[in-house]
Amino acid sequence: MAPSKPKSHHSLTVWVTLCALLAIGLSAPVATGAPAQASVDSKNLRITRGTYDADNAPPSKYIKRVTETRTTANLNLRSQATTSSASYGVMKKGTVVKLTGKKGDSWSQLTWGTRTGWAASQYLETRTYTKDESVRYMTSFTQIFAEPNFNRAVGGVNFRTQVSLLNVSGSWSQIKTAYYYGWVPSSKVAKLRPAKAYRYVARSGSVYSHQNRSASKAVGRIHHGEKYEYRRWDSTNRRDEILVGGHWVWSPVTQKPYVAPSYRYAQETGSTYNKADKASDTKVGTIARGTKVRWGAWSAANRRDEILHNGRWVWTSVTDRTKPAGTIPETISVSPYGRFGAKHAPLRKTPRSDPYDSILTTVKKGDKVTVTGKAAGGWVRVKYASRTGYVKEAYDLRVAGPYSIAVYGTLRTGQSAYNLMSGFQQKILDQRFAKSSLYQLWNPNWTFLTNGGGTVVNEQFQYSDSRGPGMLSKLDVYESQLKYNGKPMYTRQRVSMSDGSQSWTYKTTSESEKVVKNSGRYISSGDFLKRS
């Protein structure tokens, strides 16, 4: 909660009380499940005109009429009034300069920074306008005082409100709001608008038309774990002012620390009601067994939970914290990423183990899958070939394929050395290396994968544990044939893919990368097939 504020003057208390009474008459109750509605903001109500009304404010010292000269094009500052003289530099279009008053034919003398020189007059524009440097923002709610001291309050101004700075005296700033002018501590005023502040609902409860408990009434309801924009804290009544449904209202049930949402599960199919009270409720719907819902409150007297179901807050007696046996956990979609099978694992239809679930197929050890979602219990939804199902990420998947080989040049499908890639158990086209570049050197078929800021097209071949070691040995020999100064230009390295997985590939050594980048041709497409 925010620290307590200085007590206001008796006249302000009377004004606030009048506003509160008006607010009560203007506010309206809210139906269950609808956003809370509030009264017209009491601080916007006008009672009588007074000495410290904004209309009576003195002019701001920070709003001035200024005459300013700017360049209308990129313009040289010359040492003399001639184009043949030395240039002190080029002043960019829109640069503010100061004229000295000296002129020579079509030239004007001016000062730019620490330099004084000459520039063509036709590219200088002088205009007089009102320059407003008075805009400020409040860093918290504060009272406005008649003088630069805490003796007499004349009004109030809210957090993040834009005000006009009129004057400064010591540690005080004189400001003008839409309704008042007066003095506030300078520590409460900033040139930049503060970020919005928020509060979380610690327990479900009502919101009110005013901070004063005796002069306000309930105008809506907020629920556990919800988040609302915050404006100020009233320490006397222990209420936050928050924005609910487009209206500023007061809450005794919010706090600054984060409150995590709570959930409940329907233990059986049952009814939902508009009230907790069983004597006066009305049935409004049905909830199915196993449904997961957001929780708001528990009525011990009526043995009912308040839950968010189908976009509406309702009450029911069939929910509890525990998930019923046999129900299917909810899957939350994630940005797709690649992984490899760590072992032969069953691909299940839903994120459950037998006896509740059927098996679609088996993900082979070393084969690649794409993860598209996550569910409770460590389950992930994956796409494997033409099927989509579930495996356990921690036990069934890993980042690097032990015998996954990504190729980007003559080893690709249909290219001159493709015959070497026989015996694979899975092939995936149209993959990309991350943070890489592709270069061509001397021969059209000699392409080199280097570090870079782009991506490079590749194909991934996955081999079994029995075939993988022999395949890597064969490719090690093949890729070591191209040499520079007696050293192979490629080495086998683990390389990251754009989808977050890792495969073996044959990448340029650090020494040959320098040669390639100095003498080779950069292939901007990152695709070997588009190198010509």
Side-chain angles (χ1 to χ4, degrees), residues 373-387:
K374 294 191 175 186
W379 293 94
V380 288
R381 182 180 65 207
V382 302
K383 183 177 181 182
Y384 177 55
S386 61
R387 294 180 180 271

Side-chain angles (χ1 to χ4, degrees), residues 27-347:
S27 61
V30 178
T32 303
Q37 303 296 316
S39 65
V40 174
D41 190 341
S42 61
K43 288 171 292 305
N44 292 341
L45 297 174
R46 307 300 298 125
I47 307 301
T48 58
R49 294 180 60 82
T51 304
Y52 295 96
D53 279 6
D55 292 343
N56 297 325
S60 171
K61 293 185 177 181
Y62 300 90
I63 301 177
K64 304 174 182 177
R65 293 288 289 174
V66 298
T67 299
E68 196 171 72
T69 301
R70 292 178 179 267
T71 60
T72 61
N74 293 339
L75 186 61
N76 280 289
L77 180 65
R78 302 284 183 180
S79 59
Q80 302 295 328
T82 172
T83 56
S84 61
S85 63
S87 173
Y88 292 139
V90 177
M91 301 174 288
K92 291 185 178 180
K93 180 181 179 180
T95 300
V96 177
V97 298
K98 185 176 181 181
L99 298 176
T100 65
K102 292 184 179 180
K103 289 185 176 291
D105 294 330
S106 60
W107 294 81
S108 296
Q109 190 184 57
L110 57 87
T111 298
W112 172 41
T114 59
R115 296 275 191 175
T116 298
W118 295 83
S121 300
Q122 69 182 96
Y123 299 112
L124 300 172
E125 179 183 62
T126 300
R127 66 187 184 99
T128 300
Y129 66 99
T130 299
K131 191 172 186 179
D132 187 352
E133 295 181 336
S134 70
V135 175
R136 297 292 187 273
Y137 299 92
M138 303 307 299
T139 60
S140 67
F141 170 81
T142 185
Q143 292 174 317
I144 303 173
F145 296 90
E147 302 294 339
N149 54 56
F150 293 108
N151 293 339
R152 184 160 66 95
V154 297
V157 57
N158 280 310
F159 172 56
R160 300 186 79 239
T161 299
Q162 180 178 322
V163 301
S164 180
L165 179 63
L166 306 180
N167 200 357
V168 173
S169 177
S171 62
W172 288 80
S173 292
Q174 189 181 42
I175 63 167
K176 181 177 73 171
T177 72
Y179 308 108
Y180 303 102
Y181 82 94
W183 296 86
V184 296
S186 295
S187 60
K188 304 284 188 177
V189 181
K191 286 187 176 181
L192 297 178
R193 192 169 206 167
K196 291 181 179 179
Y198 296 91
R199 294 295 182 266
Y200 296 89
V201 182
R203 66 180 188 279
S204 298
S206 297
V207 290
Y208 299 89
S209 59
H210 198 269
Q211 70 265 49
N212 191 320
R213 293 171 183 265
S214 62
S216 65
K217 68 174 183 178
V219 292
R221 183 174 172 83
I222 54 179
H223 301 87
H224 177 270
E226 291 176 339
K227 175 183 177 182
Y228 294 101
E229 185 179 347
Y230 158 88
R231 191 158 71 177
R232 62 166 162 153
W233 159 248
D234 183 272
S235 59
T236 302
N237 296 284
R238 304 197 64 76
R239 288 182 175 181
D240 282 320
E241 190 177 22
I242 60 173
L243 185 63
V244 181
H247 297 273
W248 290 100
V249 293
W250 293 87
S251 165
V253 296
T254 45
Q255 66 180 40
K256 186 175 182 179
Y258 171 73
V259 176
S262 291
Y263 297 91
R264 297 294 184 267
Y265 298 88
Q267 304 300 302
E268 60 187 59
T269 298
S271 299
T272 58
Y273 302 89
N274 66 333
K275 297 179 181 179
D277 186 2
K278 296 180 179 180
S280 60
D281 65 7
T282 300
K283 179 180 175 181
V284 293
T286 301
I287 184 171
R289 180 180 185 272
T291 302
K292 180 182 179 181
V293 288
R294 177 85 174 268
W295 175 84
W298 163 249
S299 172
N302 297 282
R303 310 293 299 172
R304 283 180 175 178
D305 279 321
E306 186 182 28
I307 61 169
L308 182 62
H309 186 236
N310 294 331
R312 183 179 182 184
W313 286 97
V314 293
W315 295 84
T316 185
S317 58
V318 300
T319 48
D320 196 359
R321 289 185 176 87
T322 59
K323 186 182 301 182
T327 57
I328 300 174
E330 179 185 7
T331 301
I332 299 174
S333 294
V334 299
S335 297
Y337 59 92
R339 291 293 183 266
F340 296 93
K343 60 183 180 179
H344 283 57
L347 183 69

